[in-house]
Amino acid sequence: MVTAAHLLDLLADRGVVDVTGVPCSYLTPLINRAASGSRAHYLPVTQEGEAVALAAGAWLAGAGACVIAQNSGLGNMVNPLTSLSHPARIPTPVVLTWRGEPGRPDEPQHELMGRAMHDLMDVIGMSHTLLPGEPEAMAGAVALGWKEMETSELPHAFVLRQGILADEPLHEPPPATPARPDVVRHEPQRTPPARITALEELLSVLPDSAAIVCTTGKSSRELFTLADRPQHFYLVGAMGSASAVGLGTARHTDRPVVVVDGDGAALMRLGAFAAVGRHGTGRLLHILLDNGVHDSTGGQQTLAGQVDFPAIAAASGYRTVHDCPDLPAFTTALRSALDDAHGPTLIRLAITPGSLRRLGRPTVKPAEVARRFRDFITGGTR
């Protein structure tokens, strides 16, 4: 057996400052140690794919984060692993438990994934290392796996079997009382703007020090068309992950970090609102452009018409929340958020469906976008 503190120290020695994920009984000692106080802080989230996106955001800010997950959660991670981490070449360590290991009794829901997990990781190009149960051997395995991850510039899984970690008591401090702000509901003066008009206004108001994490689809394409700059990170995939990426980045920089989100994307990973409310910083600004449709695929309706995003943000612990029906209200809310930095802040802006005709796509490769963004956040020093 190995102590959880030993494994956490191996991770912290390599720059890991955040451990994020959801529980598994095999991970209980690791979570208990991290949550009770260690060199790496425990950040609970709502699901494993969200943890991958948060860890990617931390890497973009020059910080280290490790995802912890049960192997059943590998299914939740496949999308961000393959459409965010892989194209952007973001190396992320993942401690993955081996539930349903062949030859070991376990619950029936783990049988298939326990048998298939290594093949699945091979298929998606994710290298993996089995963690031994002796301290020196574990240190060697982590070193080899880390070298593989840094060489490939891709996530690497450290597979944890049952009984490897010694029991650890939990002395987790109680959570802080979440904010429950009133939503500022702005009265309409004009009709909702087009998305590109809102993005133009955003760029005109934001300081040059601000970073933008932009959701996939028409939002990133229009932002790229308006201005391609090092402080822009375009999600070309991983729909719904923008707020978690922005959260991971904002936790490790003093710069304003602005997430540009869409209603369909936000609905896909709505649990991220809780993570932003719990772990977000005052410099994190979440802008939700809501036109009620999936513009990138032909304008089919989303379920946004029956969802009150500002109320959800307020109930999730965002410090400041604005609901804006038009461009003047958006500008007022945006300037207020930048001046006060009392966040995390949500600004929901109603926009009209539709986009530019013959709209292009980002021509800069995702890996280059990630590295120039990281250099912008860190000043080129890591």
Side-chain angles (χ1 to χ4, degrees):
M1 276 192 176
V2 177
T3 65
H6 178 69
L7 178 52
L8 285 167
D9 281 342
L10 292 175
L11 297 173
D13 287 345
R14 289 162 174 81
V16 170
V17 293
D18 289 334
V19 173
T20 182
V22 294
C24 169
S25 59
Y26 293 8
L27 290 168
T28 296
L30 189 70
I31 294 172
N32 286 0
R33 181 66 270 154
S36 301
S38 75
R39 292 166 60 194
H41 306 290
Y42 176 53
L43 301 179
V45 294
T46 63
Q47 58 115 301
E48 298 85 357
E50 182 184 307
V52 171
L54 192 156
W59 183 89
L60 289 170
C66 177
V67 174
I68 55 175
Q70 186 179 105
N71 59 346
S72 61
L74 189 58
N76 282 329
M77 292 190 283
V78 165
N79 176 261
L81 285 172
T82 58
S83 64
L84 170 60
S85 303
H86 190 275
R89 311 299 288 189
I90 296 178
T92 302
V94 180
V95 176
L96 189 70
T97 63
W98 195 354
R99 298 299 303 267
E101 180 181 355
R104 293 189 176 217
D106 207 334
E107 300 296 323
Q109 67 269 24
H110 298 302
E111 179 182 351
L112 178 56
M113 184 59 84
R115 189 171 68 245
M117 59 177 281
H118 291 87
D119 291 339
L120 177 56
M121 288 189 287
D122 289 340
V123 166
I124 65 173
M126 185 180 188
S127 56
H128 40 91
T129 299
L130 187 67
L131 289 176
E134 300 78 33
E136 290 188 7
M138 180 177 285
V142 169
L144 288 174
W146 216 270
K147 183 177 180 180
E148 169 68 26
M149 179 178 63
E150 291 179 337
T151 299
S152 68
E153 297 185 310
L154 292 172
H156 182 91
F158 296 94
V159 178
L160 184 70
R161 303 171 71 192
Q162 183 181 24
I164 294 297
L165 297 180
D167 290 343
E168 183 76 32
L170 176 64
H171 301 291
E172 188 175 19
T177 302
R180 292 290 187 263
D182 292 330
V183 176
V184 180
R185 306 276 186 181
H186 297 260
E187 291 296 324
Q189 302 175 35
R190 304 177 187 174
T191 58
R195 183 192 302 103
I196 197 158
T197 304
L199 291 173
E200 285 178 320
E201 184 68 5
L202 175 67
L203 292 176
S204 72
V205 173
L206 285 183
D208 290 339
S209 61
I212 300 177
V213 175
C214 194
T215 189
T216 187
K218 293 291 180 71
S219 295
S220 279
R221 293 168 66 183
E222 289 188 353
L223 180 63
F224 176 82
T225 299
L226 288 170
D228 177 41
R229 304 185 298 171
Q231 58 261 57
H232 295 174
F233 183 74
Y234 315 107
L235 272 77
V236 295
M239 183 174 173
S241 298
S243 59
V245 173
L247 171 61
T249 299
R251 285 180 49 80
H252 300 288
T253 181
D254 292 330
R255 295 180 179 275
V257 176
V258 179
V259 173
V260 177
D261 214 345
D263 52 290
L267 286 168
M268 185 170 282
R269 294 193 184 274
L270 200 56
F273 276 66
V276 172
R278 173 73 175 270
H279 307 304
T281 70
R283 306 290 282 176
L284 179 59
L285 174 55
H286 187 181
I287 294 173
L288 201 159
L289 303 179
D290 184 357
N291 60 8
V293 302
H294 293 290
D295 249 345
S296 295
T297 58
Q300 304 89 353
Q301 291 181 7
T302 69
L303 295 177
Q306 62 192 65
V307 175
D308 189 337
F309 289 110
I312 291 173
S316 298
Y318 283 64
R319 273 55 168 189
T320 308
V321 182
H322 293 265
D323 190 13
C324 301
D326 55 27
L327 198 62
F330 175 66
T331 304
T332 298
L334 180 58
R335 292 188 184 279
S336 174
L338 291 171
D339 288 343
D340 295 342
H342 187 58
T345 296
L346 179 85
I347 300 176
R348 180 251 178 198
L349 173 63
I351 62 171
T352 58
S355 183
L356 294 177
R357 298 184 66 184
R358 299 180 180 177
L359 182 63
R361 299 176 183 274
T363 56
V364 186
K365 297 295 185 183
E368 182 182 344
V369 169
R371 278 146 188 81
R372 70 181 191 179
F373 182 88
R374 192 179 194 218
D375 287 342
F376 171 80
I377 294 290
T378 64
T381 58
R382 297 184 291 277

